């Protein structure tokens, strides 16, 4: 099984230090439930995110891990917003008070293994599912050191790994056995690859073949080559990235799914495919209009057939 990067040890220690009352704390923590006319503590837990977190408790946890401060260092003052009409399908937003847009936006829900393709005894396994994740820094502009990836409107925050670690610990705290998601693009799958595996071994193999085929390219250009269907198989047919569920297991029994011979055999079969880059198609389809102004690095200019005398496309 491909190795998964372990959770940050410092985060593990912070996780152990945070208690249930720390996470369920509210602005009215100094008053008893009887004072507020809310009845028993058990009844109140139905209003908490996943029965565990109040909005204030979530912010306390984010500050304990240092994530809130790290984001503020990049974009300035923040406001935590929790949209929670269903406590088991929350939307968590870090809203920038400087730019008046979300800089982090997460949609989460609780589900089971059956939804992501786990069968038999694992079908009922409880999972925390990340429906969508947006991380952006609207205060930065793209440049040729950091061009846009497919789907990006602003540069990212360079905090995806930290946020995924905290979500994995959230998954553990609420009693689920994995964090699951479905990357919409190859670029997203490359971000998740350190901590997640595709449930389908063949999907893992196809991903590894695509990654191997572009190993000589800058990461951002590799992502565009896949997005623009510029990878070819041995028959010259385009090979596209197909979204497929990934999980990061937290229990040994779920980890056994990825140790099974059937999963590994499917991986090996697709990973052995020899894919090549169709440079001519990449040059023809490349979205210059989305790129930073000015000439690209020499190596990229040569690969893409950049013509400095060509008319400049308005950005």
């Amino acid at each position: 099984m491909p190795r998964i990067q372990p959770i940050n040890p410092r985060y593990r220690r912070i996780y152990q230090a945070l208690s249930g009352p720390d996470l369920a704390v509210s602005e009215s923590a100094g008053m008893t439930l009887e004072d507020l006319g809310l009845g028993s503590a058990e009844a109140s837990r139905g209003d908490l995110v996943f029965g565990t977190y109040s909005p204030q408790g979530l912010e306390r946890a984010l500050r304990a891990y240092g994530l809130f401060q790290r984001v503020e260092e990049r974009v300035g003052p923040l406001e935590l917003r929790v949209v929670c009409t269903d406590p088991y399908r929350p939307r968590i937003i870090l809203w920038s008070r400087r730019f008046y847009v979300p800089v982090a936006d997460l949609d989460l829900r609780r589900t089971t293994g059956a939804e992501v393709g786990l069968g038999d005894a694992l079908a009922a396994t409880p999972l925390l599912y990340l429906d969508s994740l947006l991380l952006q820094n609207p205060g930065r502009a793209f440049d040729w050191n950091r061009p846009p990836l497919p789907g990006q409107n602003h540069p990212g925050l360079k905090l995806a790994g930290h946020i995924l670690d905290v979500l994995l610990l959230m998954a553990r705290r609420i009693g689920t056995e994995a964090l699951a998601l479905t990357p919409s693009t190859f670029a997203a799958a490359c971000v998740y690859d350190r901590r997640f595996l595709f449930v389908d071994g063949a999907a893992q193999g196809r991903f590894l073949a695509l990654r191997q085929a572009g190993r000589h390219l800058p990461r951002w250009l590799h992502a565009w080559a896949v997005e623009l269907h510029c990878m070819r198989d041995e028959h010259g047919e385009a090979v596209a990235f197909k979204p497929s569920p990934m999980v990061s297991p937290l229990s040994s029994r779920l980890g056994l799914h990825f140790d099974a011979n059937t999963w590994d055999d499917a991986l090996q079969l697709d990973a052995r495919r020899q894919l090549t880059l169709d440079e001519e198609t990449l040059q023809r389809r490349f979205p210059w209009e989305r790129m930073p102004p000015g000439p690209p690095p020499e190596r990229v200019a040569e690969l893409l057939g950049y013509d400095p005398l060509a008319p400049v496309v308005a950005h």
Side-chain angles (χ1 to χ4, degrees):
M1 179 181 83
R3 292 186 60 82
I4 298 177
Q5 181 172 314
I7 297 173
N8 185 318
R10 185 175 73 86
Y11 286 178
R12 286 182 178 274
R13 292 193 293 272
I14 295 168
Y15 168 86
Q16 292 168 353
L18 288 169
S19 67
D22 291 329
L23 302 175
V25 67
S26 70
E27 292 174 347
S28 304
M31 302 178 69
T32 67
L33 291 169
E34 288 74 15
D35 291 336
L36 296 170
L38 295 178
S40 70
E42 285 301 316
S44 71
R45 300 199 71 82
D47 297 327
L48 299 175
V49 172
F50 297 120
T52 302
Y53 301 90
S54 67
Q56 294 78 21
L58 270 174
E59 182 168 337
R60 174 176 286 187
L62 291 174
R63 289 188 180 279
Y65 289 117
L67 271 178
F68 206 93
Q69 299 90 318
R70 284 173 182 252
V71 178
E72 285 192 320
E73 288 170 1
R74 290 158 170 77
V75 300
L78 295 174
E79 174 186 337
L80 175 66
R81 299 181 178 182
V82 180
V83 182
C84 198
T85 53
D86 179 343
Y88 291 91
R89 299 179 70 96
R91 181 181 177 191
I92 301 170
I93 301 168
L94 290 180
W95 181 266
S96 169
R97 294 177 177 172
R98 177 179 295 170
F99 301 107
Y100 303 102
V101 294
V103 293
D105 193 342
L106 300 80
D107 274 304
L108 295 162
R109 59 188 167 91
R110 190 172 173 129
T111 188
T112 62
E115 181 179 337
V116 300
L118 293 168
D120 300 327
L122 297 177
T125 304
L127 308 177
L128 177 62
Y129 192 91
L130 179 61
D131 266 314
S132 64
L133 172 63
L134 170 68
L135 301 174
Q136 61 179 1
N137 185 344
R140 285 197 58 185
F142 292 114
D143 57 38
W144 280 108
N145 291 319
R146 197 178 183 187
L149 294 167
Q152 277 191 318
N153 294 317
H154 299 284
L157 295 171
K158 292 188 175 181
L159 290 175
H162 297 279
I163 288 175
L164 291 171
D165 274 354
V166 170
L167 289 176
L168 281 163
L169 291 172
M170 174 186 278
R172 185 183 296 279
R173 190 175 296 278
I174 68 173
T176 60
E177 294 187 38
L179 178 63
L181 49 79
T182 301
S184 59
T185 65
F186 175 76
C190 289
V191 172
Y192 300 136
D193 177 51
R194 296 180 183 179
R195 291 167 174 79
F196 292 79
L197 294 166
F198 287 93
V199 174
D200 177 21
Q204 184 74 35
R206 289 192 296 270
F207 169 76
L208 294 176
L210 283 168
R211 195 175 64 180
Q212 176 69 10
R215 65 191 183 282
H216 61 290
L217 297 172
R219 183 175 70 92
W220 65 270
L221 187 55
H222 185 188
W224 278 109
V226 175
E227 180 75 11
L228 299 170
H229 298 177
C230 299
M231 293 298 183
R232 298 282 185 263
D233 64 14
E234 60 273 20
H235 305 295
E237 298 294 326
V239 178
F241 172 79
K242 297 178 181 178
S244 184
M246 303 179 82
V247 301
S248 185
L250 294 167
S251 68
S252 56
R253 77 179 187 118
L254 191 53
L256 290 174
H257 171 80
F258 302 100
D259 287 328
N261 290 336
T262 51
W263 187 86
D264 190 61
D265 289 346
L267 180 158
Q268 297 298 335
L269 182 63
D270 277 86
R272 285 196 293 266
R273 298 179 68 188
Q274 297 297 312
L275 308 182
T276 57
L277 172 65
D278 183 344
E279 295 185 9
E280 182 178 339
T281 300
L282 179 59
Q283 292 175 6
R284 188 173 66 253
R285 296 178 179 174
F286 190 72
W288 288 107
E289 71 281 359
R290 298 196 52 188
M291 294 298 115
E298 182 177 350
R299 177 187 171 202
V300 174
E302 182 178 353
L303 177 63
L304 296 177
Y306 174 75
D307 182 0
L309 301 179
V312 177
V313 179
H315 284 69

